[in-house]
Amino acid sequence: MEAAYGRHAWRGVYLNDGRGNGYFAPGWDGRRLARNMRRVQRILTALTVAVALFFTGWVVREYQNNINYYRLAKSGVAATAVVGAVGVEHSYRAGRSSNRYVTETTAEVRYQVDGQVYDGVLEDRMSYGDSYPEPEWATGESVLLYTEPGEPESFVEYDAYLEDRDGPFTGAMVFLAAIGSLLVSVFATVALVARSSRRKAEAL
């Protein structure tokens, strides 16, 4: 039987004695190896699809949110809201290389459009590596909102970062899109290798 892989490929599943003579480890044969490679192929294919859908969905959602922000900033009705009750939650996540201190803030706001008073809620989530971030809002603070024309209950909060940009694509979107593309390429490549290995094992 001709060796199809490296000297100690697959951790002893299919071996090469160094002279070009291949053989299976005890308890293994071509059918079992093909079955395992098929499982690996299916898992990697599922991961490829899942990662592609996740990152694509995230980028599309952020893009649509930014488009909506620019639309309201241009044609919406500006309103100054006053922050009322503020809720703050802290959480901590320990990692191998770094820790994350997370602060989640929820603020009730009240604002007026065309003489009518409306209530709304703002939410924010921030994380640092060394300490808990300060809450995003404080009671009594004023914030600028852009409300939907004819539907003041729908609004977005003023975002200085987006105001300084020329388009809806942000650096975070580009970075995560690149990370997603890299992961998809890696998973897809390994899936193709597993498929090729399965076919070789089936031919043994």
Side-chain angles (χ1 to χ4, degrees):
M1 178 175 59
E2 183 180 355
Y5 308 104
R7 183 172 182 178
H8 293 292
W10 305 115
R11 299 293 182 181
V13 173
Y14 186 64
L15 303 175
N16 185 318
D17 63 2
R19 300 177 181 177
N21 301 313
Y23 61 92
F24 285 111
W28 287 82
D29 56 22
R31 182 176 300 177
R32 182 179 180 184
L33 180 58
R35 185 169 60 249
N36 279 270
M37 289 302 99
R38 185 180 294 109
R39 291 172 180 168
V40 172
Q41 178 187 346
R42 290 175 177 174
I43 292 173
L44 268 298
T45 299
L47 282 175
T48 300
V49 174
V51 170
L53 290 176
F54 173 81
F55 282 95
T56 299
W58 188 92
V59 171
V60 169
R61 184 190 64 185
E62 290 299 307
Y63 177 83
Q64 292 176 337
N65 288 342
N66 292 349
I67 286 292
N68 184 59
Y69 177 88
Y70 287 122
R71 179 181 64 83
L72 291 180
K74 181 179 181 180
S75 60
V77 179
T80 300
V82 178
V83 177
V86 176
V88 180
E89 293 186 5
H90 295 298
S91 60
Y92 172 78
R93 297 180 181 178
R96 294 182 178 180
S97 58
S98 62
N99 301 324
R100 304 307 299 173
Y101 296 83
V102 180
T103 297
E104 297 183 59
T105 310
T106 302
E108 298 178 2
V109 295
R110 175 164 293 186
Y111 56 99
Q112 185 173 325
V113 177
D114 295 332
Q116 182 71 34
V117 177
Y118 298 89
D119 293 317
V121 176
L122 298 175
E123 296 179 342
D124 178 76
R125 184 179 185 277
M126 296 183 63
S127 64
Y128 290 164
D130 54 357
S131 62
Y132 290 111
E134 292 294 323
E136 180 66 16
W137 305 282
T139 300
E141 178 183 355
S142 297
V143 295
L144 176 62
L145 307 178
Y146 297 126
T147 66
E148 185 78 43
E151 191 181 347
E153 298 88 351
S154 179
F155 62 85
V156 295
E157 184 191 6
Y158 172 85
D159 190 322
Y161 177 74
L162 290 178
E163 293 283 346
D164 291 338
R165 299 188 60 82
D166 297 326
F169 286 102
T170 64
M173 292 169 62
V174 174
F175 174 76
L176 286 180
I179 294 296
S181 299
L182 177 62
L183 290 176
V184 167
S185 298
V186 171
F187 290 149
T189 299
V190 178
L192 291 175
V193 171
R195 184 181 68 173
S196 176
S197 300
R198 174 180 60 80
R199 291 178 175 177
K200 291 179 180 178
E202 289 172 344
L204 295 175

